[in-house]
Amino acid sequence: MIEKTYMAGFGGQGIISLGQMWVYCAMKEGLQVTFFPAYGAEKRGGIARASVIVSDAEIASPLVTKAHSVIVMSQDSVPIAEEICAPGGVILVNSSLVKADPARPDARIIRVPCNEIAERIGDVRIANMVMMGALSQATGAVKLDHFEAVLKSFFPPAKHGLIPMNLAAVAAGRKAV
Amino acid sequence: MIEKTYMAGFGGQGIISLGQMWVYCAMKEGLQVTFFPAYGAEKRGGIARASVIVSDAEIASPLVTKAHSVIVMSQDSVPIAEEICAPGGVILVNSSLVKADPARPDARIIRVPCNEIAERIGDVRIANMVMMGALSQATGAVKLDHFEAVLKSFFPPAKHGLIPMNLAAVAAGRKAV
Amino acid sequence: MELAFGHPKSLKPIQTKYCPGCGHGVIHRIIAEVIDEMGLQTKSIITNPVGCSIWADLYFDFDSVQPAHGRTPAASTAIKRMLPDHLVICYQGDLAAIGTAEIIHAANRGEKFTTIFVNNAIYGMTGGQMAPTTLVGQYATTAPNGRDPVEAGMGYPIKVCELLATLGGTKYLARGAVNNPANIKKTKKYIRTALEAQMRGEGFTLVEVLAQCPTNWKMSPADAVGWLEQNMIPFYPLGEIKNTLQPAQTDAAAGER
Amino acid sequence: MELAFGHPKSLKPIQTKYCPGCGHGVIHRIIAEVIDEMGLQTKSIITNPVGCSIWADLYFDFDSVQPAHGRTPAASTAIKRMLPDHLVICYQGDLAAIGTAEIIHAANRGEKFTTIFVNNAIYGMTGGQMAPTTLVGQYATTAPNGRDPVEAGMGYPIKVCELLATLGGTKYLARGAVNNPANIKKTKKYIRTALEAQMRGEGFTLVEVLAQCPTNWKMSPADAVGWLEQNMIPFYPLGEIKNTLQPAQTDAAAGER
Amino acid sequence: MADDIRLMKGNEAIGEAAIRAGCVAYFGYPITPQNELTAYMAANMFPKGRTFIQAESETSAINMVYGAAATGARAMTSSSSPGISLKQEGISYLCGADLPAVIVNVARSGPGLGGISPSQGDYFQSTRGGGHGDYYTIVLAPKSVQESADLTYEAFALSDKYRIPVLVLADGLIGQMMEGVKLPAPIDPASLPKKAWAAGRQAEEGRAPNHVSSMNLVPEELEALNIARFKHYETVKKELCRYEEVQVEDADIVLVAYGTSARVSLGALQAARAMGVKVGLFRPITLWPFPYDRLNALAKRGKRFLAVEMSMGQMVEDVRLATNGQAPVDFYGRCGGMVPSEEEVLAEVQRLLAR
Amino acid sequence: MADDIRLMKGNEAIGEAAIRAGCVAYFGYPITPQNELTAYMAANMFPKGRTFIQAESETSAINMVYGAAATGARAMTSSSSPGISLKQEGISYLCGADLPAVIVNVARSGPGLGGISPSQGDYFQSTRGGGHGDYYTIVLAPKSVQESADLTYEAFALSDKYRIPVLVLADGLIGQMMEGVKLPAPIDPASLPKKAWAAGRQAEEGRAPNHVSSMNLVPEELEALNIARFKHYETVKKELCRYEEVQVEDADIVLVAYGTSARVSLGALQAARAMGVKVGLFRPITLWPFPYDRLNALAKRGKRFLAVEMSMGQMVEDVRLATNGQAPVDFYGRCGGMVPSEEEVLAEVQRLLAR
Amino acid sequence: MANKGKPVIDRERCKGCLLCVRACPTKVLGPDTTPNSWGYYPSSAIAPEKCIACGNCYQVCPDVAITVYKL
Amino acid sequence: MANKGKPVIDRERCKGCLLCVRACPTKVLGPDTTPNSWGYYPSSAIAPEKCIACGNCYQVCPDVAITVYKL
Ligand SMILES: Cc1ncc(C[n+]2csc(CCOP(=O)(O)OP(=O)(O)O)c2C)c(N)n1
Ligand SMILES: Cc1ncc(C[n+]2csc(CCOP(=O)(O)OP(=O)(O)O)c2C)c(N)n1
Ligand code: SF4
Ligand code: SF4
Ligand code: SF4
Ligand code: SF4
Ligand code: SF4
Ligand code: SF4
Ligand SMILES: [Mg+2]
Ligand SMILES: [Mg+2]
């Protein structure tokens, strides 16, 4: 099993933590992982992208150039998604912000209104976790069984109050697929 | 014609100007020349040496490793002279300071009491010019025809008064051979 | 409807890559205004340094040269020597660390370009490391418990104007800030004085400008400006630190515009 | 017959490669004497710089490290941090040019080694080029008509102690000379004060020593000492330029020995 | 068990590995894309009573390393390409004084200020001595976060053993990427053997003074020192040459690549093999000493080679020197911060094999 | 006539040639064995109204060159080995910004502080980019005082023509030695064509702003710039490769040497020929671009080669790359400031031929 | 003081730092409720009639996004 | 002041700079007439009886070539 995911959005959307959380959970599930982020040189705003791979064998190139799955968090990430998605891959679109879907008829396009769902749960900033739930559901590559444990080690104890909201986001994302 | 000369003494004996004057005159006589000095890293005292070549053809290595002629201005230069003199070469020894001659029975050894001669002419500092006269006489490589002209371009006008003494030194050196 | 305050000509009317609330923007604007007022747009050269203001050449609408990190004073030295009738602006954030030797010696030689030293107490572009001007106790990624001069041996914040003031070649050293309109106007006056002195060939001139870096200070822009006022200005006194320009002309330049 | 003045133990009794009358020799001797007096011969490390005193490791009879030209303050920083109980002496001629950033930042960090800055107003080893401390009008091979700060833009002689005095980390900065017995004794006292402060871990200490370079000044040793007295001492004031050492201990150290 | 595996950035793993290797002195200056390493050392050295200094410049940092190394301490600096250029004089000095030290280059695209994206454009500088004079440093090229940790850890031991500085040549991708990493066991710096040649502790050791220096103004002596050092290099070459091979035995074409481009090449190999195309991979781990002999042996067995680099072609010269005309050597490279894709490399392989 | 021939040190001849080439800006820092050059410029630039600055360091000097070059001025710096190491970042910047400039290295023995005697130990640094990133500079290697003047003079023109910095790689012997030299005709700097890309004089030229920079943070763009630069390098390789051959046609063994070691090799050749031994000499004048093709052609004609260097073996790698296994390549070198003698080289030739 | 003015904000250039809001003595300005195409919530003249054309907003704006007119 | 002393000069270490001669208050010292083996004309005690053991010569000697004894 190897799942190569390309994640694209803009700075501030939590693309980086999405990718990190994904591989962290994958690692806990005994998988090999690589995570390689790419930002613009601007400090604020600008693009945010990540090549993310989980696999049960040694991973060759950490760079995702043909993605089994693509996450599109913003409208301006659509072109890169169209380009990078492997034939028959899956494209998860944050339909809250992306109005025109990627033109890839061969791909499975899943629309998740991440911002709306996140706002409903209580904070638009967990839109990325909604998407992670959707990714897990759509690909099955990472089960996210250890998500709660990961969050506990990730957040300082003072912030453990945020954990339920994150779990809810993932669950909601799962359901949205 | 090629004449490779190795000049050795200690700092302050005018080895460098001896070599420079020699090649300057040679150049005026239409010869090709190279002059390569070597000093110790100390600013005062220490060794002073020069590889000096005059030739009527292009000169290959500017480094003299087998010398047709060797000038020995001080006692501690004797060993290098013994080593560097080509078989059948000529070694000119400043007998004012060198008491034990180089042990090179195959070489022509010429003893010139440069300091005494120079002091007699008026300044011990022209001992080097005495030696140059001797070198010219012994090798015939450079005739020193243009010596006066060279001195004129070398010295600022204020010092032209020193020229006769230098000419005398060369003449005396010539005679001492 | 009469235009009261509008975009200077020497600055391109485009979106910058600087963060919201970043101090560089105002400094760019006032430099451009002074150049417009002096009518020197096509006789100006800016050296944009390595730092967030690496982007300066995208914004200033005149020639530019981009030297190595910290070496803008060396490059500016040569540019001004080659083009003595040009206005040469050495725009810098990094001069108190890797550029220490370069700025001290350019100042000591009395090089006739003008340095605009943007002191935001942090390394902005590289993500918030300690700068030579980081305040004692201030957090930086390389001073994770705050700058500690004694125990951790991190050194004291360096007062660049005061350090340079001891050097013979320095003629005009001033420190402004971009925290509020009054200080911004004063800063602009310092810059104008410096640039005019440069064009008269008087000697080394430098204007240090205290500026906020909301991003790496991890504050909102408004909080950042407040922090600058409460912490930086008390430590880095504003004003003309050294002014040995020819008196007559200084007065003229000092007149309100 | 009682020995009144004799060769210090920490200096090897061998002929040096320095020129006749060179100032380095006396400075070597008084450093060695202080180390002897403090009983630290086998706990001392000297960094011999690139310059005529590159030979220092031949003469001082204890450990030494030879760093790159100008970088002795950086190397000394690390040596002292690694061996805080050792006496680390940063012997330098070159700190005001290529070493500017290194000395300023070591000073600003309050690094706890002692710098002995031999100011002979010239680059000795390389044959008489202008040093940052060359006096105005003084001849050098790279200032063939004398140092000219304004017309030729060669900069002004830099007063190292005064420049460093503005920095927070500096605790003791003094300037001595080796022109006559009285000044030599005073210089030795400064060095002793600095080295004792170092061993107490007080902060950055530096003693600048005005010294003659007869060879590159192209003078006899006696004339060189005279030139130093008439030209250097008036420009570079002797004395303790900055002393913020703990008062009690300073007093003790200042007592005549 | 996955439990002692940590998810870390390459930059952080290098820092932690250095600390575990007993590095007691880190001197650095910020530069992208290695800033996490400097920050990691800032956060973790001081609490352990070790030395962290944000130097005033890269030049100062390398000279601090020189000073610390001269006392026998395990010392380190890190930077990225332009900063490494500023260290060249210092590296030459370290080599001239036979001082151990670890230098990490998380390389970015050049020349000049260039960009901040990953590159392998510093290969020549690393393996041919960007500084002056005759010298080499050991150069280790990790391909993963795990290897970044392992090689950094080992770098200190190798450097001490051979008294040669070790350069860890990574790139921005390796520094920025996160992977799982199992960290090596911490070494107590106090437990490391004392170095007899180091400055300091003369009293305790009761020895004659030690002089750490790279100077010798007597050509005969300096030459003798250089020749001795190069003889020592021969030992290192014999003992240290390290590489990884993947399916070279039956390969029709062998990709030669290190670090990130080796990862990409491995992917291309796997894709090729899946298509029945016999591709092998030769990955030098030590860039100096470069595994000339093994490559030469492969060349003699009739292999052909494709060097894959994130540069305009630098390591390929070593491949040519190794194969010495006995096999065709081709080159495929991307530069300026571009990382080649598996697909591109595969396409290049197919192009070559079809020729 | 001998009358317009001047007796000069190599260092002085370089300085005078630079001035005659229209160099208007010299920035330097003292270092042996090139001090006469800095002193010459100090004495002769200012009276001509040109710029001489004794910079605070070599690093500053190269960045001053960068600034001056950015305005289109003919600018120059000089130093010796350790100082050249300090310039590596700046040289990489010059190349990244496509700025012309002349850099003179009167090389001494290394590594580290080493000694002050002549050496050819900076060949790798010079030809492989001691700085970071993919770039080359043109490298000219004079063998005599005359050629020092000629090549320095030409360096400015080449650098302007190709917008590539030119390194004049001499050594302490060439810098310190005196020979007769006929100096090239002075060029009035004001007569040189303006450079359209330079900063300054915007008003006069009535153009859009010029930006001199080596930065590009977009990998695709930076890659394109690098590829374009390397394409340009191919042109340079075609147009500029320069070498001298002496009696190679009938030679049984060809000495390959540049600069001082080529002079020594010529002496060995003459001695050998006098004994009836057929020795030839191949002297690269441009070290970059290196005359690979010609050497390769000679290799194919069955020559064998002996590279003679004042190093532990650096240029010999280029000879190996050129000959590509088609001819035996041997190496003879001295280092640490030692200059080989004709006798030694001859002995080595005889040893090889006897084998 | 009796000046009357009008601030014109370039919504696309504005990065919503709100330093102009802080600097305005008469509280003319406030954040807009809809983001611009960069995702920033720009400043807007919420009480334009209070503007005295002092230029403070112009002075502090890092993005030169404000033009002030005198009426 | 009433001290009596004796300067002992290491002829081989002395470089003949004569700074000691300049520094001696009682004119004990002067240049020797024969050079040492380095070619330098060393300092020598030409009026040894005048020595007051003040140590000035020792202090200024760059080559630590003088030892001073109290008699
Ligand atoms: C030789 C070198 N070292 C380090 C860097 C990395 N670097 C880029 S910008 C910068 C500092 C930026 O801070 P500052 O100059 O204060 O400007 P700011 O971004 O704060 O405006 C550094 C260290 C570099 N590009 N080159
Ligand atoms: C990087 C580098 N630049 C330049 C030099 C040449 N250099 C050697 S010593 C020296 C200056 C010596 O002067 P100073 O430090 O004043 O010491 P002094 O000889 O006067 O005692 C210089 C420039 C060098 N060795 N390394
Ligand atoms: S990081 Fe700081 S200095 Fe840089 S653009 Fe952002 S706010 Fe401005
Ligand atoms: S050159 Fe000057 S500093 Fe150097 S040893 Fe001679 S007198 Fe001393
Ligand atoms: S001009 Fe003055 S009053 Fe008007 S909006 Fe701006 S700050 Fe407010
Ligand atoms: S100050 Fe400028 S950028 Fe900031 S909110 Fe106001 S108009 Fe927008
Ligand atoms: S001790 Fe005093 S009196 Fe005696 S010789 Fe020396 S200087 Fe003269
Ligand atoms: S001072 Fe010392 S070296 Fe100089 S003459 Fe006197 S004894 Fe000799
Ligand atoms: Mg800053
Ligand atoms: Mg000096």
Side-chain angles (χ1 to χ4, degrees), chain C residues 64-93:
Chain C
S64 73
V65 178
Q66 199 297 297
H69 180 46
R71 321 298 176 180
T72 37
S76 300
T77 291
I79 295 168
K80 183 72 183 184
R81 294 254 190 151
M82 295 302 104
L83 300 166
D85 63 339
H86 279 55
L87 183 78
V88 177
I89 298 180
C90 173
Y91 193 102
Q92 272 230 297

Side-chain angles (χ1 to χ4, degrees), chain A residues 102-166:
Chain A
R104 279 292 298 268
D106 67 319
R108 178 180 166 211
I109 304 217
I110 302 176
R111 316 187 84 250
V112 187
C114 300
N115 290 34
E116 275 99 328
I117 295 176
E119 272 171 24
R120 211 180 323 124
I121 295 172
D123 193 334
V124 69
R125 283 177 300 180
I126 54 171
N128 59 345
M129 292 296 107
V130 174
M131 188 52 107
M132 187 167 78
L135 181 65
S136 173
Q137 186 67 18
T139 66
V142 180
K143 297 184 192 57
L144 303 179
D145 298 343
H146 301 72
F147 184 45
E148 188 170 352
V150 165
L151 284 174
K152 276 198 181 128
S153 67
F154 220 76
F155 286 142
K159 290 206 169 171
H160 280 187
L162 298 172
I163 291 176
M165 205 161 74
N166 279 276

Side-chain angles (χ1 to χ4, degrees), chain F residues 87-139:
Chain F
K87 293 183 198 291
Q88 291 306 320
E89 187 204 24
I91 294 173
S92 178
Y93 267 74
L94 285 166
C95 292
D98 300 312
L99 289 178
V102 174
I103 300 141
V104 177
N105 182 0
V106 183
R108 55 190 253 181
S109 50
L113 183 53
I116 56 175
S117 301
S119 167
Q120 298 182 326
D122 300 353
Y123 182 91
F124 281 147
Q125 185 193 58
S126 310
T127 59
R128 294 295 185 283
H132 58 285
D134 288 295
Y135 72 85
Y136 292 92
T137 60
I138 294 170
V139 184

